[in-house]
Amino acid sequence: MAELQEVQITEEKPLLPGQTPEAAKEAELAARILLDQGQTHSVETPYGSVTFTVYGTPKPKRPAILTYHDVGLNYKSCFQPLFQFEDMQEIIQNFVRVHVDAPGMEEGAPVFPLGYQYPSLDQLADMIPCVLQYLNFSTIIGVGVGAGAYILARYALNHPDTVEGLVLINIDPNAKGWMDWAAHKLTGLTSSIPEMILGHLFSQEELSGNSELIQKYRNIITHAPNLDNIELYWNSYNNRRDLNFERGGDITLKCPVMLVVGDQAPHEDAVVECNSKLDPTQTSFLKVSNLFLGKLTEAFKYFLQGMGYMASSCMTRLSRSRTASLTSAASVDGNRSRSRTLSQSSESGTLSSGPPGHTMEVSC
């Protein structure tokens, strides 16, 4: 109670002489987030309520890390393993994190009434400014998976000045074509919603192996009390519009981007195509045999270092099994063929950012 009273006194009478209203507001916000650390908040938007959870306190002149999860998951099941990973603690100590749950995906969410019009992915992206306004955050580094990666990419196209960087995992920026639509309809006749979502999250090889991880997520999705809500999010994802990325054109991501995809992942071709359409001087491409947390964490650290937010002295060493490739940019028409590659074994344990005009590719 004493701490609460102290915060209230600070709000009413700033202790620092000459403190501006803006500084007082920032102090109030920092105190509020500190007291609410790890707690969930909801704000109303033009498209309904959105729920998010904040961890940490804002750092001066640093963006927030904002995450958005994939279909069939929420922020905990999608991102908790990554952000609780030991090597991620260097990052966690330096950034405030905002984990957004798509409407109806948060734990304990009530099932939407029959006939509820779920927001489109574009509308979900338009909810993000309300979250940032509530928190008084001006810029973010977005981390999205699948549908969440699409949502953050759409947000970055609409609000480029507020996005300092993007980590997009398994993104498919393309709308479904007629063949995709027909295949989806046919699959729906023979497969349940949980099985179709699992086919979106994992490769057929992984599903056939029926590992403990697959069984875990099959159980989570199949027995989700909000399965009807999950189906609505799934339908919105399948009805997404084409992002229409164009290398050298007006529709492109202006910030540094790290694209990540697993080897043989369902969206591997889509991510490769996305890479061919983005600015090669701003884009790094990470393809891993398996999305091991250590590989993803290390790549994320180098991405942040390239943006000037992680000192080189904080970086851990790459394992010798990894290979760094600096691949010259594909031609402007987006074809990736005949790219000149300089490959080097990472015996030294370091990986520098690619020079201007190159796409950095890392195979692990």
Side-chain angles (χ1 to χ4, degrees):
M1 181 60 70
E3 292 183 357
L4 290 176
Q5 292 174 348
E6 182 177 349
V7 171
Q8 292 170 352
I9 292 173
T10 302
E11 293 174 357
E12 295 173 359
K13 294 184 179 181
L15 300 180
L16 296 178
Q19 188 178 32
T20 65
E22 291 77 14
K25 187 175 182 180
E26 291 177 1
E28 176 188 348
L29 174 65
R32 182 174 69 185
I33 293 180
L34 180 61
L35 292 172
D36 292 342
Q37 184 180 32
Q39 294 190 6
T40 300
H41 306 267
S42 295
V43 294
E44 290 297 327
T45 78
Y47 307 105
S49 177
V50 62
T51 300
F52 56 94
T53 305
V54 181
Y55 289 87
T57 55
K59 309 297 181 185
K61 298 182 180 180
R62 290 202 173 204
I65 292 177
L66 185 143
T67 70
Y68 216 115
H69 61 88
D70 203 353
V71 175
L73 309 172
N74 56 30
Y75 96 82
K76 286 187 177 180
S77 56
C78 190
F79 290 106
Q80 206 167 57
L82 174 63
F83 282 87
Q84 289 182 347
F85 187 61
E86 181 180 0
D87 288 349
M88 276 291 290
Q89 302 316 301
E90 293 178 27
I91 296 174
I92 286 176
Q93 293 170 5
N94 288 282
F95 293 90
V96 60
R97 287 92 60 209
V98 181
H99 300 289
V100 179
D101 278 316
M105 304 302 121
E106 67 275 12
E107 289 185 346
V111 176
F112 291 121
L114 187 65
Y116 176 79
Q117 183 63 47
Y118 197 82
S120 67
L121 294 197
D122 290 7
Q123 291 170 335
L124 292 177
D126 287 339
M127 290 180 168
I128 295 176
C130 298
V131 174
L132 300 185
Q133 182 178 11
Y134 175 87
L135 295 171
N136 196 31
F137 290 168
S138 56
T139 60
I140 65 167
I141 295 173
V143 182
V145 180
Y150 178 102
I151 291 167
L152 290 179
R154 174 64 73 186
Y155 172 77
L157 288 176
N158 295 339
H159 305 274
D161 293 340
T162 67
V163 182
E164 294 196 24
L166 288 173
V167 178
L168 305 177
I169 303 170
N170 292 338
I171 184 174
D172 187 345
N174 304 313
K176 280 187 175 294
W178 285 107
M179 294 297 293
D180 295 324
W181 180 85
H184 176 71
K185 289 296 182 182
L186 289 174
T187 302
L189 296 175
T190 58
S191 302
S192 64
I193 292 297
E195 289 302 318
M196 287 193 289
I197 292 175
L198 285 170
H200 161 78
L201 297 174
F202 301 99
S203 68
Q204 287 303 312
E205 181 180 353
E206 290 171 319
L207 291 174
S208 299
N210 198 30
S211 64
E212 184 177 338
L213 179 66
I214 300 296
Q215 295 177 37
K216 172 186 174 182
Y217 281 97
R218 177 176 282 114
N219 183 66
I220 289 175
I221 297 171
T222 302
H223 297 98
N226 63 336
L227 183 57
D228 289 344
N229 296 355
I230 293 174
E231 183 176 357
L232 294 176
Y233 188 20
W234 173 240
N235 291 338
S236 288
Y237 176 70
N238 287 304
N239 290 317
R240 66 191 179 275
R241 295 192 302 146
D242 200 312
L243 289 176
N244 291 314
F245 289 143
E246 181 182 1
R247 177 172 291 183
D250 294 331
I251 304 177
T252 190
L253 298 173
K254 311 288 187 184
C255 62
V257 179
M258 183 170 76
L259 299 174
V260 183
V261 67
D263 190 21
Q264 304 302 318
H267 309 291
E268 181 179 356
D269 291 343
V271 178
V272 170
E273 181 183 352
C274 181
N275 182 51
S276 72
K277 293 181 178 180
L278 296 179
D279 182 354
T281 67
Q282 293 275 66
T283 307
S284 57
F285 179 75
L286 175 67
K287 181 179 178 181
V288 292
S289 57
N290 290 289
L291 281 180
F292 290 125
L293 297 181
K295 297 174 182 178
L296 183 56
T297 300
E298 188 113 36
F300 191 22
K301 289 180 182 178
Y302 279 108
F303 181 70
L304 293 173
Q305 184 186 25
M307 298 173 62
Y309 288 122
M310 293 290 289
S312 58
S313 60
C314 295
M315 305 304 295
T316 54
R317 299 174 67 86
L318 283 170
S319 66
R320 293 187 176 186
S321 63
R322 304 180 189 179
T323 303
S325 301
L326 293 179
T327 304
S328 59
S331 58
V332 174
D333 65 4
N335 293 327
R336 303 181 77 250
S337 60
R338 296 189 177 274
S339 59
R340 184 183 61 188
T341 304
L342 170 63
S343 299
Q344 60 184 23
S345 170
S346 55
E347 290 289 332
S348 64
T350 60
L351 175 62
S352 60
S353 301
H358 288 74
T359 296
M360 182 181 71
E361 298 194 14
V362 184
S363 298
C364 302

